[in-house]
Amino acid sequence: MSIKLIVLDVDGTMTDSHITYSETGDEIKSFNVKDGLAIASWRKLGRQVAIITGRESQIVARRAKELRIEHFYQGVDNKKEVLHSLLEKLDIGMDEVAAIGDDLNDISMLKAAALSFVPRDASSYVDKIADVILTKKGGDGAVREMIEYLIKKEGLEKKYLELWD
């Protein structure tokens, strides 16, 4: 099995799950730059990245654009359904997909993926169905840990390191 596409949830995986509002109502989120570099590296290896998130946020749209993630879906109620549509479009099988999520709305997507990951601080219900429980918390490098796990599993370490040599 070779993973061609990684699917990322946002709140609780790419972020620490906190949503902060300023006095003027602006939403504030923090993203881990280490996750970002790993995502960029995964793309440089010719692999694909998708974000499928339940909430809508201009901040997340900006982050997806920064990272050049072209498969970006927000405000999604049924993540598995969106994932199936994306796979048809990309002509990729579910056996070529790895996904990360942290909460109940991610369960169907995680069950469908060939390899599923959850951050250390994911819901205990989601832990039960995950293939890999990461050592990092959401927003604290969990996405990078997932990508580096895949890099090692697929024997891509040399190419991965050469990207930045």
Side-chain angles (χ1 to χ4, degrees):
M1 160 181 69
S2 178
I3 300 298
K4 293 182 180 173
L5 172 70
I6 58 171
V7 182
L8 311 173
D9 171 47
V10 177
D11 295 313
T13 58
M14 292 180 72
T15 74
D16 64 6
S17 75
H18 292 105
I19 300 168
T20 306
Y21 295 103
S22 72
E23 224 173 89
T24 58
D26 294 327
E27 184 178 342
I28 300 167
K29 291 179 185 277
S30 296
F31 297 93
N32 191 304
V33 71
K34 293 176 184 179
D35 287 345
L37 188 62
I39 291 167
S41 299
W42 182 257
R43 286 185 60 261
K44 283 185 173 193
L45 289 169
R47 307 299 171 101
Q48 305 230 28
V49 181
I51 288 176
I52 302 177
T53 181
R55 295 188 73 249
E56 291 196 32
S57 168
Q58 287 304 310
I59 294 169
V60 177
R62 177 180 173 181
R63 186 64 173 152
K65 186 176 180 182
E66 267 179 7
L67 295 173
R68 297 185 180 119
I69 297 173
E70 59 186 87
H71 311 295
F72 174 63
Y73 306 89
Q74 56 180 337
V76 174
D77 289 326
N78 187 332
K79 294 183 179 188
K80 181 180 171 184
E81 188 176 279
V82 170
L83 176 56
H84 277 293
S85 295
L86 176 60
L87 296 182
E88 282 182 31
K89 176 180 160 187
L90 297 175
D91 195 28
I92 291 175
M94 195 62 82
D95 61 332
E96 300 169 303
V97 175
I100 184 171
D102 71 307
D103 219 330
L104 303 176
N105 62 336
D106 299 311
I107 289 175
S108 65
M109 176 180 74
L110 294 172
K111 280 183 172 180
L115 201 52
S116 60
F117 295 81
V118 296
R120 184 179 90 204
D121 57 343
S123 162
S124 61
Y125 296 103
V126 183
D127 283 354
K128 289 181 174 105
I129 59 101
D131 295 310
V132 179
I133 299 173
L134 301 164
T135 63
K136 301 285 188 186
K137 291 181 177 182
D140 193 31
V143 172
R144 183 176 200 142
E145 185 180 349
M146 170 195 171
I147 291 169
E148 289 185 349
Y149 177 100
L150 293 170
I151 297 287
K152 290 174 187 165
K153 186 177 184 340
E154 303 219 353
L156 295 171
E157 283 179 289
K158 187 174 185 224
K159 284 183 181 179
Y160 181 66
L161 295 172
E162 286 172 353
L163 293 172
W164 306 104
D165 196 9

